[in-house]
Amino acid sequence: MGGESKNRRQLSYHGTRYSCREDETVLEALQRQGVSIPFSCRSGICHVCLQRCTSGPIPEKAQTGVRPTLRAQGYFLPCQCTPTADMQIVPPRNADLYTPAVLYRKEWLGANVVRLLLEPATALSYRAGQFINLRRSDGLTRSYSLASNPATDYFLELHVNVMKNGAMSNWIAETLAVNDEIDIQGPNGQFCYEPERAEQNILLAATGTGLAPLLGVVRDALHQGHTGELHLFHGSRHPRGVYLHDELLDLCGEFSNFYYYACVSGNDVPPGFLSGRTHEVAQSLHEDLRGWSTYFAGLPDMVEAAHRNALRSGVMETDIHTDPFRYTDLRGAARTGRVRNGGRLDRRSATPKTVNRRPGPDPEMWAALGEGQLLNTILTDFYDRVYEDPRLKPFFRGTTKQRSIEKQYLFLRQRFSGEKVYFGDRPRNAHHWMVISDELFDYREQVMESCLHRHGLPDHLIGRWLKMENSFRADIVKNAPWNRVIDGIEIPADGFGEAVLEVGTLCDSCGEEIPGGSRVRYHLRLGTTWCRRCMHNGDLETNTSGMKTYG
């Protein structure tokens, strides 16, 4: 106990002192001790949790993306701040972050999408494609992307997806009225057009209201005289979800280098629409994207898949721009931002083992890996061996080798480069059902080490790589399965559950989009989710491993 307390930092907040564990963020520490501060995405994107440090060092990562004027005043992101020393923290000053805006117009663009035109009290300096936070009088805050272009539009344009039981979106749709005032904060984000490369072809793909930032990027590019081709794909399961269809067709007629594709993944595909999931349609029409730039926004699953497709099609990593839409009210999800379930966690039975401090980004490692090229080669070699190894391959039953390579690539890329590209479970949840001994963990490490040597990684970097993997040993090694824990909610290790989605997703059986508000069935351990048709078709079974089989 004495050793543990030495590693704890002290946080002073509102005159009260709180302890912060060694590997805990400021947000996690305050919430663990009952302190409520605003937050949303937990990933440093939305900036809803901004606080101000008046004493103590601020880790560089905690100010990533924070505007220079706010950084100078000590503003930081608690969700990204693992303190290196004691900190004194105070709430943000309202005048620093928020400015009032008046609702000028509200109109429905589709069955579930509302367009807002806002007039800020003072001119807002922003770039098309960025996002702002809206805050109502009780403090509820949500992030929405800007579809407007500051060079041509006086009002700020937002597209709001009205979700079933969505606290903010339903209030906007039903209560917020023209001439009402609401607070705005921002702009935030780097999802913007790059005018330096006006001749470059651009591919853009969105689901749902992911169209908003893409529309901002397109408007900005066309206004600045972009000469390369712009190909915009917008998709939904149903035709009614492809809003602004006529407006975008008109834009095609106005600009000869702008191309628009409406995609429907369901069965009802109207004339002039393309059948299929948005990213797959885009890939089928543009297999070779070498020299292109890409922008993807909307459902995280689509964004992740489109990202992978772009890399395979020859797009440079620096030319891939992503804006996955995550939703605040899914913090108890059984699968990444999908469904609620489960009872409150008994923390006595879920206390994690002590773990080593996770190594931070490693620029030398990332450079030695050819910024991803050698990493992909190493992982391909490694999983070729794993899928043939009688001791290791049982843990990969039911998933393809390519999928394993892709997930591990994104995980390691985030570890080594510091880029936020991995959207999957953390190691503790990803391995929660696997009974793995220390001896088996060491065996797996030996296989990896031999691959690293075979592909010429220097010895000192191999040592750092293995040290990083060993920092997760306590999250993986165990003598019995444990339940998944999602933000304090304990999910049983096996069996099935049913829930109503608060945000759309993709069916893991047929691959079709499932709209928000649908009732789905999902596997409690694997997180795999099925649409209503698949959960009632009579063909779905599970084998003893809990993996899907069909027969």
Side-chain angles (χ1 to χ4, degrees):
M1 292 295 292
E4 181 184 1
S5 62
K6 288 180 182 178
N7 293 327
R8 294 195 177 192
R9 312 301 183 190
Q10 294 297 312
L11 307 176
S12 174
Y13 187 74
H14 268 318
T16 303
R17 294 178 69 82
Y18 302 93
S19 65
C20 184
R21 295 168 180 164
E22 183 178 7
D23 291 311
E24 206 170 35
T25 66
V26 169
L27 177 62
E28 291 167 340
L30 292 178
Q31 289 185 325
R32 173 173 56 83
Q33 294 165 94
V35 180
S36 177
I37 65 172
F39 73 98
S40 183
C41 72
R42 289 183 178 267
S43 59
I45 297 174
C46 71
H47 292 204
V48 168
C49 67
L50 272 172
Q51 299 288 314
R52 189 162 58 94
C53 176
T54 58
S55 177
I58 303 174
E60 182 179 352
K61 179 183 177 183
Q63 291 188 310
T64 300
V66 178
R67 297 200 306 274
T69 53
L70 296 180
R71 286 203 301 268
Q73 299 176 65
Y75 281 93
F76 72 103
L77 298 166
C79 69
Q80 299 299 297
C81 181
T82 302
T84 58
D86 295 351
M87 299 178 69
Q88 291 187 5
I89 303 167
V90 297
R93 293 182 294 235
N94 193 70
D96 290 341
L97 300 186
Y98 289 92
T99 186
V102 173
L103 179 62
Y104 173 76
R105 180 182 300 167
K106 180 173 72 173
E107 58 183 330
W108 288 93
L109 298 178
N112 298 303
V113 179
V114 171
R115 172 158 53 194
L116 304 182
L117 296 182
L118 298 174
E119 182 179 16
T122 57
L124 184 69
S125 176
Y126 71 96
R127 295 181 64 191
Q130 290 187 294
F131 69 91
I132 60 174
N133 294 319
L134 298 188
R135 184 181 69 174
R136 70 184 190 189
S137 58
D138 63 355
L140 183 68
T141 306
R142 293 292 185 269
S143 304
Y144 297 102
S145 292
L146 289 157
S148 47
N149 176 22
T152 58
D153 301 316
Y154 175 74
F155 296 105
L156 305 177
E157 179 177 342
L158 308 176
H159 300 171
V160 177
N161 178 24
V162 181
M163 298 169 11
K164 184 177 181 180
N165 299 323
M168 178 67 94
S169 63
N170 280 276
W171 175 80
I172 287 173
E174 300 170 5
T175 305
L176 185 65
V178 171
N179 293 324
D180 281 353
E181 190 173 280
I182 188 169
D183 288 336
I184 63 174
Q185 182 262 323
N188 303 305
Q190 302 296 322
F191 194 78
C192 308
Y193 170 64
E194 298 172 350
E196 299 82 9
R197 307 178 69 179
E199 75 290 345
Q200 188 178 40
N201 291 338
I202 299 178
L203 184 143
L204 312 97
T207 54
T209 51
L211 176 63
L214 297 192
L215 186 57
V217 169
V218 167
R219 285 171 168 169
D220 191 16
L222 293 175
H223 174 74
Q224 296 200 48
H226 190 82
T227 56
E229 296 178 356
L230 298 158
H231 295 260
L232 172 62
F233 294 78
H234 183 214
S236 177
R237 176 173 173 79
H238 301 288
R240 64 176 180 271
V242 185
Y243 65 96
L244 290 185
H245 182 64
D246 292 338
E247 183 176 318
L248 290 170
L249 288 176
D250 290 342
L251 201 61
C252 287
E254 186 178 352
F255 295 92
S256 61
N257 61 332
F258 175 66
Y259 303 84
Y260 161 64
Y261 311 83
C263 309
V264 172
S265 61
N267 296 324
D268 182 18
V269 183
F273 285 57
L274 299 176
S275 177
R277 293 158 67 181
T278 312
H279 64 283
E280 293 176 349
V281 173
Q283 183 186 32
S284 68
L285 295 180
H286 299 280
E287 296 181 356
D288 186 354
L289 294 175
R290 285 173 293 184
W292 288 51
S293 181
T294 58
Y295 292 79
F296 307 122
L299 287 173
D301 283 351
M302 186 283 292
V303 171
E304 182 181 357
H307 190 158
R308 294 196 303 268
N309 289 348
L311 289 173
R312 294 194 196 106
S313 300
V315 183
M316 298 291 292
E317 183 59 47
T318 53
D319 286 331
I320 300 176
H321 309 268
T322 60
D323 190 4
F325 284 16
R326 298 181 179 87
Y327 293 85
T328 297
D329 288 336
L330 302 177
R331 292 190 293 274
R335 188 179 183 199
T336 310
R338 291 194 176 183
V339 291
R340 291 180 183 273
N341 185 69
R344 182 55 52 185
L345 169 66
D346 179 355
R347 295 193 179 276
R348 292 170 299 175
S349 65
T351 302
K353 301 177 184 178
T354 301
V355 297
N356 298 326
R357 177 177 288 278
R358 312 285 192 233
D362 192 335
E364 183 187 3
M365 178 79 75
W366 190 237
L369 293 171
E371 297 187 340
Q373 185 174 356
L374 180 58
L375 175 60
N376 189 67
T377 301
I378 290 171
L379 292 178
T380 299
D381 183 18
F382 173 73
Y383 281 104
D384 282 345
R385 300 178 67 183
V386 164
Y387 274 73
E388 295 298 321
D389 190 295
R391 299 183 65 184
L392 299 176
K393 68 180 182 181
F395 294 97
F396 297 86
R397 186 182 299 118
T399 185
T400 67
K401 186 189 305 182
Q402 183 60 36
R403 180 60 175 152
S404 296
I405 293 171
E406 290 168 351
K407 289 181 70 174
Q408 188 70 351
Y409 175 91
L410 292 173
F411 175 77
L412 291 174
R413 177 180 162 189
Q414 180 161 309
R415 300 303 309 178
F416 294 142
S417 72
E419 300 172 73
K420 290 190 173 298
V421 295
Y422 178 71
F423 305 135
D425 280 337
R426 293 183 178 182
R428 181 179 174 87
N429 276 342
H431 298 83
H432 74 101
W433 62 275
M434 302 179 187
V435 178
I436 298 175
S437 65
D438 276 304
E439 191 241 338
L440 185 59
F441 187 96
D442 290 339
Y443 177 78
R444 186 264 185 204
E445 291 301 274
Q446 292 169 12
V447 176
M448 175 58 79
E449 184 175 2
S450 68
C451 291
L452 299 177
H453 279 296
R454 183 162 43 252
H455 293 284
L457 200 65
D459 287 346
H460 72 288
L461 292 181
I462 291 176
R464 291 218 296 264
W465 181 307
L466 297 178
K467 180 180 179 181
M468 180 276 296
E469 292 195 333
N470 266 279
S471 73
F472 293 100
R473 182 184 289 264
D475 291 329
I476 297 173
V477 172
K478 53 192 171 295
N479 56 20
W482 54 42
N483 293 342
R484 299 175 78 223
V485 178
I486 308 293
D487 284 345
I489 302 295
E490 190 169 16
I491 309 299
D494 221 329
F496 295 88
E498 290 189 14
V500 176
L501 291 180
E502 295 190 19
V503 59
T505 186
L506 302 176
C507 176
D508 288 303
S509 173
C510 65
E512 296 291 339
E513 292 183 22
I514 309 175
S518 301
R519 177 167 290 277
V520 298
R521 192 181 191 200
Y522 61 99
H523 193 275
L524 297 174
R525 168 162 63 82
L526 303 174
T528 44
T529 305
W530 299 288
C531 64
R532 179 171 294 277
R533 182 179 64 182
C534 292
M535 62 190 276
H536 293 306
N537 68 4
D539 295 330
L540 184 63
E541 300 175 354
T542 56
N543 61 25
T544 55
S545 298
M547 301 296 181
K548 293 183 294 186
T549 59
Y550 300 88

